[in-house]
């Protein structure tokens, strides 16, 4: 059993007993960690508000070598998540970030860049700003960091550059957009407007912040939500619980 320190985002807490909780944390250093937090449910417990959902905290925990849960020994609050003015679309978007992190990552499989993206997204969602853009940026970054980013500029089958005009065929099975010759015979092909595809490319760029300046109208956001909701559902094998609440997030 070793004592570890980490920076963590609280993804989930479940009541374990009268006084204790089991917390799921996404840490920068170790990836997802599940730990028992003794006394967390007591009014003046040892963790105070550091274990509130979506909080960023510094933790110390005892890592168990066997199958049993790790034990949280310290948690110090760094930043609380508070949607600006109690805005529900920010809150739902933040819940969705937590849901994706929980579903997409494995215990003790660290992804520091994904952690930084989540941290940045939660900070953005707790201040006034565009929820839709922050969320799309997070989703495309998560897909890239986890190796699931579809091919958006070259045909997923043959690698030919696909000109983005009119509507462009897209197949999750083929791994992205399709050129006209590869489109024939492909199953489950949807089509994406050139405008929505250009936005996806912008949001998926690994560096720069051009995505921040992208104008996103309601129609394009609606189309992107449809494409991404379908993509995540296929990837995860089920529809994320928060999807139904995201259509309102076009702020
Ligand atoms: Zn092709």
């Amino acid at each position: 059993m070793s004592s570890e320190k980490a920076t963590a985002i609280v993804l989930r807490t479940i009541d374990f007993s009268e006084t204790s909780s089991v917390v799921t944390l996404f840490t920068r250093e170790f990836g997802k960690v599940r730990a028992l937090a003794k006394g967390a449910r007591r009014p003046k417990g040892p963790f105070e508000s550091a274990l509130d959902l979506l909080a960023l905290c510094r933790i110390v925990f005892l890592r168990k070598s066997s199958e049993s849960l790790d034990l949280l020994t310290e948690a110090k609050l760094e930043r609380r998540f508070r949607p600006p003015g109690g805005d529900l679309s920010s809150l739902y978007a933040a819940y969705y970030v937590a849901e994706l992190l929980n579903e997409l990552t494995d215990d003790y499989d660290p992804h520091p860049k994904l952690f930084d993206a989540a941290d940045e997204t939660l900070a953005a969602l707790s201040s006034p700003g565009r929820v839709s853009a922050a969320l799309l940026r997070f989703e495309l970054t998560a897909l890239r960091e986890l190796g699931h980013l579809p091919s958006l500029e070259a045909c997923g089958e043959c690698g030919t550059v696909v000109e983005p005009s009119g509507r462009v065929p897209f197949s999750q099975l083929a791994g992205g957009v399709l050129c006209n010759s590869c489109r024939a015979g492909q199953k489950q092909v949807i089509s994406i407007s050139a405008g929505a595809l250009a936005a996806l490319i912008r949001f998926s760029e690994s560096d720069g912040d051009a995505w921040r300046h992208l104008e996103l109208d309601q129609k394009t956001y609606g189309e992107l939500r449809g494409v991404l909701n379908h993509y995540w559902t296929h990837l995860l094998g089920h529809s994320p619980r928060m999807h139904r609440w995201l259509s309102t997030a076009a702020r």
Side-chain angles (χ1 to χ4, degrees):
M1 200 157 63
S2 57
S3 177
E4 309 280 13
K5 287 181 181 173
T7 306
I9 294 168
V10 181
L11 300 185
R12 209 172 172 200
T13 67
I14 298 172
D15 296 347
F16 181 76
S17 69
E18 291 265 309
T19 56
S20 302
S21 304
V22 171
V23 287
T24 304
L25 302 149
F26 184 56
T27 70
R28 191 174 197 282
E29 295 80 355
F30 304 97
K32 197 162 66 184
V33 168
R34 272 176 285 210
L36 180 64
K38 287 183 178 170
R41 302 190 61 212
R42 283 206 306 266
K44 289 207 184 310
F47 306 111
E48 298 189 17
S49 55
L51 298 182
D52 287 354
L53 196 61
L54 303 166
L56 177 75
C57 51
R58 295 280 310 160
I59 60 165
V60 179
F61 64 103
L62 293 174
R63 185 170 173 175
K64 298 286 181 75
S65 48
S66 64
E67 287 292 290
S68 62
L69 284 168
D70 294 336
L71 186 68
L72 194 70
T73 54
E74 285 177 41
K76 188 171 165 288
L77 183 70
E78 293 271 318
R79 188 188 62 230
R80 193 185 299 255
F81 179 78
R82 285 275 181 276
D87 177 63
L88 279 180
S89 60
S90 303
L91 185 66
Y92 293 153
Y95 284 160
Y96 181 51
V97 168
E99 183 180 12
L100 285 182
L101 290 174
N102 195 23
E103 295 246 355
L104 289 167
T105 64
D106 294 318
D107 293 3
Y108 287 103
D109 180 20
H111 290 278
K113 283 185 181 169
L114 178 60
F115 179 92
D116 293 343
D119 180 29
E120 198 179 298
T121 305
L122 292 176
L125 291 173
S126 49
S127 43
R130 292 194 302 164
V131 173
S132 51
L135 198 54
L136 290 170
R137 176 62 172 173
F138 176 74
E139 291 177 276
L140 271 300
T141 304
L143 288 173
R144 191 182 63 240
E145 289 305 322
L146 296 166
H148 296 298
L149 190 66
S151 176
L152 299 170
E153 293 174 273
C155 174
E157 282 287 323
C158 73
T160 306
V161 172
V162 176
E163 283 307 319
S165 62
R167 297 192 71 85
V168 179
F170 178 91
S171 158
Q172 190 151 4
L173 294 174
V177 293
L178 290 169
C179 71
N180 282 331
S181 22
C182 293
R183 178 186 195 158
Q186 291 281 347
K187 287 176 185 161
Q188 298 181 33
V189 177
I190 60 167
S191 76
I192 304 180
S193 69
L197 183 61
L200 276 182
I201 292 168
R202 196 45 62 79
F203 281 111
S204 72
E205 285 165 355
S206 60
D207 42 21
D209 61 354
W211 64 274
R212 292 183 194 278
H213 310 293
L214 195 71
E215 291 290 331
L216 205 59
D217 58 41
Q218 186 85 31
K219 185 160 174 274
T220 308
Y221 181 65
E223 183 180 354
L224 290 174
R225 275 266 51 92
V227 170
L228 282 170
N229 286 4
H230 183 267
Y231 198 85
W232 285 119
T233 300
H234 192 274
L235 194 64
L236 298 170
H238 63 93
S239 175
R241 284 182 304 135
M242 290 312 296
H243 270 176
R244 55 198 292 252
W245 304 105
L246 297 181
S247 54
T248 57
R251 177 161 69 75

